[in-house]
Amino acid sequence: MAMQTNTKQSLAQRWEAYQPSKSALVWACTATAVATMIVGFSWGGWVTGGTSLAQAKAAGDSARSELASVICIDKFNASPDKSAQLTALNAISDSYKRRLFVEAGGWATMPGQTSPDRRAAEGCAAALAA
């Protein structure tokens, strides 16, 4: 009669004795890759190329509008009848009409352009009315 030993292996011994199959390794690597992508796109701040392009375009448009507004404000402040124009601008309560007032005054027309910049006029009118 053979005597059976009833000894328990430690975790380290079981770890050393483990021989995973190739399919188990492939599935573990696949699951790890999928989990990494889920975590990266959900919480890691990863974005696709299309999203980053859209964000860069929006940031560029915003920066361009802010710069154009600053130029518009500078042109407004350099005008000889600044105080009268500012009084007239502040008398207008509608933001659309304020934008039209700034566009009509020519302050929102950027150097080298023939027509006023709508975003520059909006930002300029809001900053001057504040």
Side-chain angles (χ1 to χ4, degrees):
M1 215 170 174
M3 185 174 224
Q4 283 185 326
T5 58
N6 198 5
T7 58
K8 277 185 134 183
Q9 290 183 334
S10 69
L11 181 62
Q13 290 171 334
R14 285 185 286 163
W15 183 261
E16 287 179 16
Y18 180 67
Q19 295 287 322
S21 65
K22 287 182 183 178
S23 64
L25 285 174
V26 167
W27 283 112
C29 288
T30 303
T32 302
V34 169
T36 300
M37 286 186 265
I38 289 171
V39 169
F41 282 106
S42 298
W43 301 290
W46 298 359
V47 293
T48 62
T51 301
S52 66
L53 185 62
Q55 289 175 346
K57 184 177 178 341
D61 290 345
S62 174
R64 191 176 310 110
S65 296
E66 288 176 23
L67 178 61
S69 294
V70 170
I71 292 171
C72 175
I73 293 168
D74 189 48
K75 288 171 75 174
F76 184 89
N77 287 332
S79 66
D81 56 346
K82 171 188 160 185
S83 59
Q85 295 292 347
L86 188 58
T87 304
L89 178 68
N90 287 329
I92 301 171
S93 61
D94 184 30
S95 62
Y96 174 74
K97 290 181 181 175
R98 282 183 180 169
R99 178 179 64 90
L100 292 178
F101 180 81
V102 171
E103 287 178 355
W107 304 295
T109 304
M110 295 297 107
Q113 300 293 321
T114 57
S115 61
D117 185 323
R118 182 184 58 82
R119 290 187 191 152
E122 288 172 355
C124 183
L128 290 170

